[in-house]
Amino acid sequence: MSDDRRPEVLRYVLVASLARLRVALGFVVGVLVLVIAQPTGRSLLVGMSIAAFGEAIRIWAAGHLRKSREVTVSGPYRWCPHPLYVGSSVMGVGLAIASASVLVAVLIAIYLVATLTAAIKSEEAFLRRTFGDSYDLYRQGVAAQRRERSDASRRGFSVEQAMANREYRAVAGLGIAMLLLLWKATYNGLFWRAAGT
């Protein structure tokens, strides 16, 4: 391998590794978030409402996505190439607000920027290899009018498709995060009341 290609290869390895490890890294970040978080009743109410909205975006997208079988153009994919990641980002904002900690917000932002950027690059490379010009036309919006008239763009939301895409795991993860932050807010409140402050 020539020296001029080395940075390109290293960048590819880093992107592929981050994309592949994003769920495992998410658990590590999640533990750190729970340790650092200082949730209050108000921060939980606002943050979890925003996070639930982000999950709703993900469910909507998952109910339209047919992974590795097509360039999906229905549902939120009509307007956005990566609605699952938009939903994840909104969930991250909600969790940061629920945690009521600037440090948590920074940690979540670093995690999301690093892993979602890597996932998007990796996914787009796969889609270009698999679908070629169809994906490029979708991204450029050149075929927008054709998509508007196609059956694929009018396909409805499918709960079965969302389940096949295992979106229930993200729902469960968000539910667990909510419960843990609620537990921490309750625990912190009891601790401080018992301390007399």
Side-chain angles (χ1 to χ4, degrees):
M1 171 177 28
S2 69
D3 285 341
D4 350 335
R5 291 209 30 145
R6 191 164 296 172
E8 182 182 320
V9 170
L10 288 173
R11 194 171 23 256
Y12 172 80
V13 169
L14 178 63
V15 165
S17 297
L18 276 173
R20 192 173 45 256
L21 295 172
R22 72 182 181 273
V23 173
L25 289 171
F27 284 113
V28 172
V29 170
V31 169
L32 291 172
V33 164
L34 185 60
V35 169
I36 299 167
Q38 294 300 315
T40 65
R42 183 183 176 128
S43 74
L44 284 170
L45 181 63
V46 173
M48 289 307 168
S49 297
I50 293 169
F53 178 69
E55 181 54 44
I57 293 170
R58 285 187 54 88
I59 291 169
W60 182 31
H64 286 271
L65 179 62
R66 294 184 177 175
K67 290 181 183 178
S68 305
R69 291 185 284 165
E70 68 178 14
V71 176
T72 303
V73 295
S74 63
Y77 291 91
R78 291 170 68 184
W79 302 285
C80 174
H82 302 288
L84 284 168
Y85 300 142
V86 169
S88 294
S89 298
V90 172
M91 286 172 63
V93 168
L95 289 170
I97 291 169
S99 297
S101 166
V102 173
L103 185 56
V104 165
V106 170
L107 189 63
I108 289 173
I110 290 169
Y111 167 76
L112 287 174
V113 168
T115 60
L116 294 185
T117 300
I120 287 168
K121 286 182 181 198
S122 181
E123 183 177 292
E124 287 182 347
F126 167 78
L127 290 168
R128 280 193 177 91
R129 280 192 314 273
T130 306
F131 299 108
D133 288 344
S134 295
Y135 183 70
D136 288 331
L137 287 172
Y138 165 72
R139 286 306 308 265
Q140 294 169 7
V142 171
Q145 289 182 350
R146 235 180 342 173
R147 285 196 315 272
E148 290 299 320
R149 292 189 299 264
S150 75
D151 288 338
S153 69
R154 290 190 299 265
R155 180 176 52 231
F157 173 81
S158 165
V159 172
E160 293 82 17
Q161 191 62 46
M163 294 297 281
N165 285 322
R166 299 181 289 196
E167 191 56 29
Y168 55 84
R169 294 193 306 185
V171 171
L174 180 60
I176 290 168
M178 287 179 175
L179 289 172
L180 289 172
L181 287 171
L182 181 62
W183 169 79
K184 184 155 187 187
T186 303
Y187 171 78
N188 284 346
L190 291 174
F191 175 79
W192 293 115
R193 277 195 297 273
T197 58

